[in-house]
Amino acid sequence: MALPLLSIFLFSSLTLFSLTESKLNVDYYNKTCPQFEKIIQQIVVDKQLAAPTTAAGALRLFFHDCMVGGCDASLLISSNSFSQAERDTDINLSLPGDAYDVVTRAKTALELQCPGIVSCADILAVATRDLITMVGGPFYTIRLGRKDSFESYAKDVEGHIARPNMTMDTIINMFASKNLNVQEMVALMGAHTIGFSHCSEFSKRLFKFSQTSEFDPIMNPTYVQALRTLCGNNTKDMAAFNDVMTPGKFDNMYFINLQKGLGLLASDQAMIYDQRTKPFVELYAKDQDAFFKAFTHAMEKVSVYQVKIGKMGEVRRRCEVVNQLQVNPNKKIGS
């Protein structure tokens, strides 16, 4: 008896995903570029010491890249006169230059050592892991062999990256579309234990919040006053650390803060009130090891999401430009 069309499609899709994943392995560069991880580690250490927010920036860069079309370094591609790339859509404009810079430095060093071998996608994945570890986070295994995307379009971004004003239903569904469950979503949100957010992302919680409240009543009042001082009288868009207690350390303090009304973003603070997410917030606030294990599992899962292998992608010579454009600068991205 023939399988229904939908069943055949699902079987084919799952088979392709499994085959794609199986092509990745931790020893991918052992023969072709044996100094790969050592070179990245040295670049990462130097950059993080010079610019301490690099770890948080790289983590955001990695996640924003992977959530749109998979971990293929499409976010690293620059716009040109024919096409606006992912990095220039509004939600990605706040991604820090230091995050792009650490990848560029690693790519330059690796091109000198083993030209045309290591993809930008693999560099971003490993650099992010090493930076997380450097600031106190867990080490996790990364399978290698990703290829870089041929294209990048700003129009593809919306609906794939969570915004602070989204409802918990919307965010949960967004993660579910990437095959990430609620527990994995909460663990990944814990990445906000490092890094910062601009006032524009949370200032609506501080001033004229509603007809009955001047500020979001679920926020700690003392915290509100400090944030008002930071954001209220500045013409430039200032920024605050996501974790007010240990901003430079990757730990479980982010979850402890949520229990005290010290969540900076509305989407973060909402997790302590939603019955689907609250148990995991409470678990990770109490048990840092549990958080680290869950975060490790989720990051390993994200790192292989819709990866490209073989002719599905390429190894870019420069991370910001696809190889065809380096030969023909008048060619449109993706054409």
Side-chain angles (χ1 to χ4, degrees):
M1 183 177 176
L3 286 169
L5 183 61
L6 178 60
S7 298
I8 293 173
F9 171 76
L10 289 173
F11 177 78
S12 299
S13 299
L14 289 171
T15 301
L16 176 61
F17 177 76
S18 298
L19 288 173
T20 301
E21 257 196 297
S22 69
K23 295 291 184 179
L24 304 179
N25 66 81
V26 294
D27 301 323
Y28 189 83
Y29 297 113
N30 277 13
K31 294 182 179 179
T32 56
C33 193
Q35 297 298 308
F36 163 66
E37 295 210 24
K38 184 178 180 181
I39 289 172
I40 290 186
Q41 189 173 60
Q42 185 59 58
I43 297 290
V44 158
V45 169
D46 291 345
K47 182 64 181 180
Q48 179 64 21
L49 291 175
T53 59
T54 300
L59 180 50
R60 284 187 66 205
L61 190 68
F62 170 79
F63 191 74
H64 282 218
D65 177 54
C66 291
M67 292 295 275
V68 182
C71 301
D72 58 7
S74 56
L75 182 52
L76 302 180
I77 296 175
S78 296
S79 297
N80 60 23
S81 56
F82 301 101
S83 179
Q84 186 182 39
E86 290 175 32
R87 67 190 292 170
D88 288 323
T89 194
D90 67 330
I91 199 168
N92 288 330
L93 291 176
S94 63
L95 292 171
D98 284 323
Y100 292 101
D101 182 60
V102 73
V103 177
T104 299
R105 291 187 185 201
K107 178 63 173 175
T108 301
L110 286 162
E111 283 297 301
L112 292 172
Q113 180 74 25
C114 34
I117 298 297
V118 182
S119 70
C120 301
D122 276 346
I123 291 171
L124 178 56
V126 174
T128 298
R129 189 271 315 278
D130 288 354
L131 283 160
I132 290 170
T133 304
M134 190 174 173
V135 295
F139 180 90
Y140 51 92
T141 300
I142 295 178
R143 285 176 286 170
L144 302 165
R146 297 163 188 76
K147 291 294 190 291
D148 300 323
S149 172
F150 293 118
E151 58 190 17
S152 177
Y153 297 114
K155 63 180 177 60
D156 294 335
V157 175
E158 190 59 38
H160 295 280
I161 307 294
R163 294 179 180 269
N165 60 348
M166 285 181 172
T167 66
M168 195 52 57
D169 281 343
T170 300
I171 295 173
I172 287 174
N173 289 336
M174 183 182 295
F175 276 75
S177 72
K178 317 295 180 186
N179 196 31
L180 295 164
N181 61 34
V182 174
Q183 181 173 11
E184 291 161 344
M185 182 206 83
V186 175
L188 289 169
M189 295 282 269
H192 286 168
T193 188
I194 54 176
F196 57 84
S197 297
H198 291 92
C199 290
S200 58
E201 297 179 89
F202 58 84
S203 59
K204 289 182 179 179
R205 304 182 72 199
L206 310 177
F207 305 99
K208 299 179 181 178
F209 180 73
S210 68
Q211 292 182 341
T212 59
S213 179
E214 278 294 308
F215 60 87
D216 189 341
I218 65 175
M219 294 184 77
N220 182 298
T222 304
Y223 188 40
V224 170
Q225 291 306 315
L227 292 173
R228 280 180 165 182
T229 301
L230 174 71
C231 300
N233 300 315
N234 292 287
T235 54
K236 292 197 302 182
D237 189 16
M238 302 296 286
F241 288 116
N242 294 320
D243 172 2
V244 69
M245 304 304 290
T246 57
K249 184 180 180 183
F250 197 100
D251 55 20
N252 67 333
M253 185 60 71
Y254 161 84
F255 296 105
I256 297 171
N257 289 342
L258 297 184
Q259 296 178 316
K260 299 177 179 179
L262 298 175
L264 185 63
L265 303 177
S267 53
D268 288 339
Q269 192 63 63
M271 291 199 300
I272 196 64
Y273 294 100
D274 191 288
Q275 294 306 307
R276 294 165 293 184
T277 54
K278 182 180 179 180
F280 300 116
V281 172
E282 292 176 337
L283 171 63
Y284 300 150
K286 181 176 62 175
D287 187 345
Q288 181 169 280
D289 287 343
F291 165 47
F292 278 13
K293 287 177 183 177
F295 182 80
T296 292
H297 168 76
M299 285 294 283
E300 288 175 345
K301 192 171 177 178
V302 169
S303 74
V304 298
Y305 176 65
Q306 290 190 350
V307 292
K308 295 171 176 60
I309 59 170
K311 295 182 179 180
M312 297 165 65
E314 65 179 358
V315 175
R316 286 188 221 130
R317 290 186 287 273
R318 290 166 48 201
C319 292
E320 70 275 16
V321 185
V322 299
N323 290 341
Q324 270 190 321
L325 278 179
Q326 294 179 52
V327 175
N328 180 10
N330 295 317
K331 190 173 182 65
K332 185 177 179 181
I333 292 175
S335 62

